[in-house]
Amino acid sequence: MPSTRFFFAALIAISLAACSTIGAMSAWLNDQVSFSAPQLQRYLDQRFPREFDKLGGLVSVTLANPRLSLPPGDNRLRLEFDMGMGALGSQGVPNGRLALSAGLRYDATTQGLHLVDPELLQFDVPGTGALLKGGARGVVNSLLAEYARSEPVYRLEPALLDKLPAGRRIGAVDIDEGRVIVRLQ
């Protein structure tokens, strides 16, 4: 009787291990792998809050509590932050909100998914209402583009990248039906 229990426990453990390996491999066999919003959210939660100094420390921007969503029927993600701004060495306490939408691309140097063409949707920080009048909105969008070039929204796991079929590389990254789909070339 104990050997039967051991046999079934071992069989279940082997089956579970095989399923996880087959799952990762079958994704690449279909020339794609997909990620959900909660997977990307968990990665972002580990990287925030963050403070960014601009103009040699004259201006400080704090981003906290990232909220990522993949709106149905949209090919762009939505990313929202609590945001604060400080000046002359003071920290920006998050008392406002920043929201943007963007596509995604893969960057081989960071092994991560980066924002593409981020577009500012909302910028509400007390005391900065006049900031977005005139050409200032373009300045904020260019700062978002700079951030998008250097910081991944999600980093692919090395174990998954190690399973890439020989001679294949990552190509397009699409957002479709509430999932991020990474396709092979």
Side-chain angles (χ1 to χ4, degrees), residues 11 93 175:
L11 184 62
V93 177
I175 298 172

Side-chain angles (χ1 to χ4, degrees), residues 37-57:
Q39 286 174 290
L40 277 65
Q41 183 66 53
R42 281 190 296 274
Y43 180 82
L44 288 171
D45 287 342
Q46 296 171 10
R47 300 191 41 88
F48 287 90
R50 292 188 58 190
E51 187 172 317
F52 302 91
D53 289 329
K54 298 292 179 194
L55 303 174

Side-chain angles (χ1 to χ4, degrees), residues 41 45 48-52 60-68 79-85 92-100 122-126:
Q41 183 66 53
D45 287 342
F48 287 90
R50 292 188 58 190
E51 187 172 317
F52 302 91
S60 171
V61 176
T62 301
L63 296 178
N65 303 318
R67 296 171 297 283
L68 184 137
L79 190 54
E80 299 178 30
F81 295 96
D82 293 338
M83 179 180 172
M85 295 181 77
V93 177
N95 60 353
R97 191 167 154 192
L98 170 76
L100 60 97
Q122 183 177 9
F123 183 82
D124 296 324
V125 177

Side-chain angles (χ1 to χ4, degrees), residues 26-28 30-37 39-40 68 70 74-77 103-106 112-114 154 156 160 169-185:
S26 68
W28 290 129
N30 291 326
D31 290 339
Q32 67 184 29
V33 66
S34 66
F35 301 96
S36 65
Q39 286 174 290
L40 277 65
L68 184 137
L70 302 171
D74 200 347
N75 64 352
R76 294 169 64 85
L77 63 78
L104 288 172
R105 68 175 174 81
Y106 176 73
L113 303 179
H114 290 253
Y154 184 79
L156 276 65
L160 181 64
R169 62 187 178 123
I170 294 177
V173 178
D174 298 311
I175 298 172
D176 189 23
E177 296 185 27
R179 300 206 48 88
V180 173
I181 302 168
V182 178
R183 302 181 196 282
L184 295 181
Q185 291 184 326

